[in-house]
Amino acid sequence: LPARGSTAIVDETPKDVEARERLLDEAFGPARFLKTCERLRAGRLPARGLALVAKAGERVVGTMRMWPVHAGIGRPALLLGPLAVARDCRSLGLGAALIEDGLARAKARNHRAVLLVGDAPYYARFGFDQRFTRDLVLPGPVERERFLGLELAEGALEGASGRVMAVGARAGGGE
């Protein structure tokens, strides 16, 4: 069992993909492909520099990705998810470390806002709140209390309304 200090958060590489997929299967099962947020990720590439893995030696023990979206018309944002940590590494703070590192990287890349669907009490500690998504709609069913936002730049989601839409590079090239 690795200690948090013996893990490193690094950019995901192509050789991490198989381990990442196993981790996500373990965490969410096949239902993960039916989630509303998956509609925004399907066929797209994650935001540049925002596909991260936590590694204990060579073993992938955590994963988090962020995806370019528009929060309503012309309002750039990121969609965080999925986030998963290996079963035997939970409670070590790796999920929080991945989120903190990812948010710092997003801010350094001048991203202004992040959206997600997740456990409100867990994500509140990072500043995520329902008030930022009140007038936004996802392309499918979602429990409203789990649809959260965070401003990396003050006012980035002020007045944001309408449908959240996938943007950015498509897997295999193109826009």
Side-chain angles (χ1 to χ4, degrees):
L1 187 71
R4 179 175 172 182
S6 68
T7 59
I9 295 174
V10 297
D11 290 316
E12 178 187 297
T13 67
K15 63 181 203 182
D16 298 324
V17 171
E18 194 176 309
R20 181 198 70 230
E21 289 301 307
R22 275 196 312 273
L23 228 150
L24 293 171
D25 285 343
E26 175 190 292
F28 302 109
R32 71 185 175 104
F33 296 107
L34 305 175
K35 293 180 180 279
T36 292
C37 288
E38 185 60 27
R39 295 179 192 182
L40 294 166
R41 297 187 289 252
R44 300 281 178 171
L45 295 174
R48 188 181 312 274
L50 297 173
L52 307 177
V53 291
K55 286 189 167 183
E58 288 300 306
R59 180 179 169 222
V60 173
V61 294
T63 177
M64 187 207 63
R65 292 169 135 200
M66 292 192 210
W67 308 79
V69 294
H70 277 170
I73 305 286
R75 190 74 65 111
L78 294 167
L79 179 70
L80 188 156
L83 167 70
V85 173
R87 193 170 277 122
D88 65 334
C89 295
R90 294 185 188 149
S91 304
L92 298 177
L94 293 178
L98 280 161
I99 292 166
E100 289 164 357
D101 193 303
L103 293 175
R105 290 176 186 224
K107 193 169 188 167
R109 290 179 168 271
N110 297 313
H111 291 284
R112 298 175 44 83
V114 182
L115 306 174
L116 63 80
V117 175
D119 184 51
Y122 179 82
Y123 287 102
R125 70 175 121 164
F126 307 104
F128 285 90
D129 195 288
Q130 253 185 286
R131 75 179 185 273
F132 296 117
T133 59
R134 194 170 291 127
D135 297 322
L136 293 171
V137 178
L138 286 170
V142 68
E143 297 168 58
R144 288 301 306 182
E145 66 276 6
R146 294 175 54 81
F147 183 27
L148 311 170
L150 170 71
E151 292 181 333
L152 298 175
E154 194 168 333
L157 291 172
E158 194 173 305
S161 66
R163 182 177 289 273
V164 177
M165 296 166 285
V167 296
R170 291 192 180 276
E175 186 61 26

